Amino acid sequence: QVQLVESGGGLVQAGGSLRLSCAASGRTFSAYAMGWFRQVPGKEREFVAGIIWSTRSTSYADSAKGRFIISRDNVENTVYLQMNSLKPEDTAAYYCGVKVLYYSAYGSWGQGTQVTVSS
C-alpha cells in the first residue's frame, strides 16, 4: 500500500499563499486519484481538491474553486495544493489521501500538516 507524508503548512496572513506537498511511496497504480482534505477539531474531515493521477483531471470543493490548485509531480510522486487568497476559515489540519478509482473511498492518510491563517 501507499504511504503519504504531508508538508508545507504554516502560519500565513489572510490573503497570502502556501503550497502543500504530499509525498507518496510504496505501491501505486495508474488508475487512482489523490486528494486533499482538511479537518478542524470537533468537525468531520472535508474534501478540498482531488486529481486523477493519469489524466490530471481535477475537482474542487466550492470553497476552494478559484483559489486553490491541485497538481502532481511524476518525478517525485508528489501531489501539491497551491493555496492562494487564504482566509481565516481555511485554518485546519490538511491531509492527503489516495483513492483507487471506482472501488474505494479516500484513505491511506498521511500525518497531516497544519495551516493557520491569521486576520
Side-chain angles (χ1 to χ4, degrees):
Q1 289 278 73
V2 65
Q3 293 81 48
L4 306 175
V5 179
E6 301 95 335
S7 62
L11 176 65
V12 65
Q13 288 187 284
S17 298
L18 284 173
R19 190 180 74 163
L20 307 184
S21 300
C22 176
S25 61
R27 179 177 289 183
T28 58
F29 302 92
S30 60
Y32 71 96
M34 299 278 289
W36 285 98
F37 290 70
R38 65 189 183 188
Q39 187 171 28
V40 298
K43 295 187 177 181
E44 298 290 330
R45 189 170 297 184
E46 66 174 353
F47 173 80
V48 177
I51 182 168
I52 297 175
W53 196 263
S54 62
T55 67
R56 289 183 168 89
S57 178
T58 60
S59 62
Y60 297 91
D62 288 342
S63 61
K65 290 179 180 177
R67 299 190 299 129
F68 295 179
I69 301 172
I70 187 170
S71 62
R72 58 93 162 174
D73 182 347
N74 238 4
V75 175
E76 297 187 38
N77 291 319
T78 301
V79 63
Y80 303 96
L81 184 67
Q82 178 66 46
M83 304 189 295
N84 302 313
S85 301
L86 283 163
K87 305 173 181 179
E89 50 263 45
D90 295 318
T91 296
Y94 283 72
Y95 299 85
C96 61
V98 64
K99 169 182 168 62
V100 177
L101 298 182
Y102 312 117
Y103 300 108
S104 69
Y106 282 99
S108 299
W109 308 105
Q111 83 287 352
T113 185
Q114 179 67 37
V115 171
T116 302
V117 184
S118 63
S119 300

